[in-house]
Amino acid sequence: MPVPVPRPRAIPAVEGGQAQAASLPGAQTAQTAQGPSARAKAQNDTLTLLVIEDDPAGSPIVPEMLDSAGRPIRLRTARNLTEAERLLTDDVHCILLDLALPAPGRATEEDDELAVLRHVLQLAPRHAVLALTASGDAERGAEAVRVGAQDYLFREELDGRLLSRAIRYAVERKRSDTAERRLTESKLRAQENARLERGLLPTPLLDGSSLRFAARYRPGRSRALLGGDFYDTVRTPDGTVHAMIGDVCGHGPDEAALGVELRIAWRALTLAGLCGDELLSTLQQVLEHERDNDEIFATLCTVDIAPDGRRAGLCLAGHPAPLIARPNRPAELLPYDNNGPALGLLPGARWPRMQVELGPVWSLMLYTDGLIEGRVGQDGERLGQDGMVELVRRRLAEGLMGEELLRATVNEVRDLNGGELADDVAVVLLDRAP
């Protein structure tokens, strides 16, 4: 029957021959008067050193030590690595390791002089480690630092002041190294996430089309490249150009992932020949299957432009109507009388397809509600569709087109809002030149 292993406990410094002041009369009474919370805080603020040395009881290698606040540094001692593992609890701040200690499972030290250090570093990856070696073995101490120790000390030169300072230095250096490593890992994850999000943004498939394409995308999430808004544009073999823009309610990472799924599904269904009500009904099935709860919905606007570029079919699923600009006519919204419900709201819903005349020369702008829900004026009113139309008209009168038009429009909306917009913003512009 295995012998039960006792739970690790903090060995007071007095047990190692240290901090005799703890046994002064009245010390226990004063500690009790502080209450349990004060005692716990005092314990957390006090440094604890674990000494791993072949015969610490018979060799006083560790003198009395005080921390920077004048408190005794608590001491635990272990004769071997087995004892050290039992005493190595979370309240230990630093380990003082004698490099002359035999390594586990090795008859001699000739195989690897720092095997015991490597074992301790694996055993205590979050703890600071000080290597202890002979004064004539500085090279071995320096190698210990290269392997992972925070510093090395000479056994013959130990005194309380030197060791106390080395412990504090080692603990702070370990904290600094850990923070730097976590920061590096965080940066690497952020770079990986950025590459992933950038790869999920659409690349228009317009080979063979005379239409010009431009887009602006600004996620509402801080330090993100992707939000709940999504868009795409493809040209099918018959010459029809299909454009889409949509918005999943919310703008967190889950909504962004769902938006990507809907965009990819739309592209696949469009290239397979679906459009109008049939396509939106299938997208609703995708949404219902992939969403986390029944309250998630998505608005959508799809436009399929005929090969001659003069006509288009328009479907709206709870989404704002596109804006069209034509020569010698003010920019205006396309009809939205037959706007159907957003995807995911009504099972078995239908989305009628409207036929609209575009003309020989035009600019068609699709957008999400993030562009029209920004605040304007002192009263905090929304910009709205009418405000957006007037804004675009002014920019068109200035001669802006394509990317410049979208950039100026989004920047002005942000300025009117008095800062960054809270919601995701996506804008797509298709132009048919003379």
Side-chain angles (χ1 to χ4, degrees):
M1 180 176 180
V3 178
V5 178
R7 294 184 59 185
R9 65 185 184 93
I11 301 177
V14 68
E15 293 186 24
Q18 313 298 324
Q20 298 178 4
S23 62
L24 292 175
Q28 184 175 2
T29 305
Q31 187 179 24
T32 305
Q34 291 177 344
S37 60
R39 290 197 303 272
K41 184 178 185 304
Q43 285 186 340
N44 291 334
D45 292 342
T46 303
L47 290 175
T48 301
L49 174 69
L50 173 60
V51 179
I52 309 176
E53 202 262 346
D54 197 9
D55 188 13
S59 176
I61 64 168
V62 179
E64 183 174 354
M65 300 169 294
L66 301 177
D67 63 14
S68 58
R71 294 182 297 258
I73 294 178
R74 292 187 297 174
L75 179 66
R76 296 183 186 178
T77 58
R79 294 177 176 82
N80 50 56
L81 295 181
T82 302
E83 288 186 11
E85 185 173 1
R86 179 172 60 84
L87 297 174
L88 189 61
T89 52
D90 290 338
D91 58 336
V92 171
H93 298 87
C94 185
I95 299 171
L96 179 63
L97 173 66
D98 186 358
L99 295 181
L101 194 71
R106 294 180 182 271
T108 68
E109 300 177 5
E110 297 177 357
D111 297 326
D112 185 353
E113 291 186 343
L114 298 177
V116 64
L117 173 61
R118 300 181 197 276
H119 185 84
V120 169
L121 292 175
Q122 292 179 357
L123 190 66
R126 300 189 305 272
H127 293 75
V129 177
L130 289 171
L132 188 64
T133 187
S135 57
D137 204 0
E139 183 177 348
R140 189 180 187 187
E143 181 64 22
V145 173
R146 285 192 289 270
V147 169
Q150 273 60 58
D151 203 349
Y152 69 93
L153 301 170
F154 295 131
R155 183 183 294 104
E156 294 82 0
E157 298 178 4
L158 278 186
D159 60 50
R161 184 178 179 182
L162 172 64
L163 183 55
S164 300
R165 185 174 59 186
I167 293 170
R168 295 196 299 271
Y169 167 77
V171 170
E172 292 305 321
R173 181 176 178 182
K174 183 64 177 181
R175 289 173 180 170
S176 176
D177 292 344
T178 300
E180 184 176 357
R181 185 185 71 253
R182 290 175 178 172
L183 179 61
T184 301
E185 292 173 352
S186 178
K187 289 180 178 179
L188 291 175
R189 284 195 299 268
Q191 293 172 0
E192 291 175 357
N193 290 340
R195 287 195 297 270
L196 174 61
E197 293 185 35
R198 193 175 293 112
L200 294 175
L201 290 172
T203 301
L205 297 178
L206 289 174
D207 293 343
S209 173
S210 61
L211 299 183
R212 294 178 301 187
F213 172 88
R216 295 287 289 178
Y217 192 91
R218 184 188 297 271
R221 287 189 298 142
S222 175
R223 298 183 298 276
L225 298 177
L226 205 61
D229 290 2
F230 54 98
Y231 67 90
D232 206 350
T233 306
V234 298
R235 180 178 183 268
T236 47
D238 63 355
T240 302
V241 172
H242 304 262
M244 170 272 291
I245 197 165
D247 180 5
V248 177
C249 64
H251 47 268
D254 293 335
E255 289 77 12
L258 183 55
V260 170
E261 291 180 276
L262 292 175
R263 180 187 69 78
I264 294 174
W266 176 87
R267 175 176 284 202
L269 294 170
T270 299
L271 293 175
L274 275 66
C275 68
D277 181 76
E278 185 180 10
L279 186 149
L280 292 177
S281 298
T282 308
L283 281 181
Q284 175 158 279
Q285 294 179 31
V286 175
L287 172 65
E288 292 172 345
H289 179 74
E290 298 295 334
R291 64 186 177 184
D292 291 335
N293 61 75
D294 294 341
E295 296 180 357
I296 299 295
F297 64 90
T299 66
L300 198 70
C301 168
T302 66
V303 177
D304 50 278
I305 303 168
D308 63 5
R310 292 174 173 267
R311 304 176 314 279
L314 172 66
C315 284
L316 296 174
H319 200 88
L323 178 146
I324 187 168
R326 290 169 280 209
N328 303 320
R329 296 174 60 178
E332 60 183 351
L333 299 175
L334 289 179
Y336 51 89
D337 297 337
N338 292 327
N339 195 338
L343 302 181
L345 291 183
L346 299 176
R350 305 301 297 269
W351 294 271
R353 179 177 178 272
M354 296 175 285
Q355 189 74 19
V356 295
E357 294 294 329
L358 302 178
V361 179
W362 46 263
S363 294
L364 190 64
M365 190 176 85
L366 286 65
Y367 55 92
T368 57
D369 60 6
L371 188 68
I372 60 177
E373 291 187 348
R375 304 289 182 176
V376 295
Q378 299 296 328
D379 298 333
E381 298 178 357
R382 301 285 187 182
L383 175 65
Q385 287 180 288
D386 292 340
M388 180 205 66
V389 172
E390 290 298 325
L391 189 156
V392 173
R393 285 176 179 174
R394 285 191 287 103
R395 293 300 184 178
L396 288 170
E398 296 171 1
L400 299 184
M401 299 174 60
E403 290 280 358
E404 291 185 354
L405 174 62
L406 296 188
R407 184 183 305 109
T409 299
V410 174
N411 288 343
E412 184 172 350
V413 170
R414 182 190 59 192
D415 293 341
L416 290 172
N417 188 63
E420 290 295 339
L421 300 165
D423 200 1
D424 305 324
V425 175
V427 192
V428 171
L429 187 67
L430 291 169
D431 292 317
R432 187 172 191 265

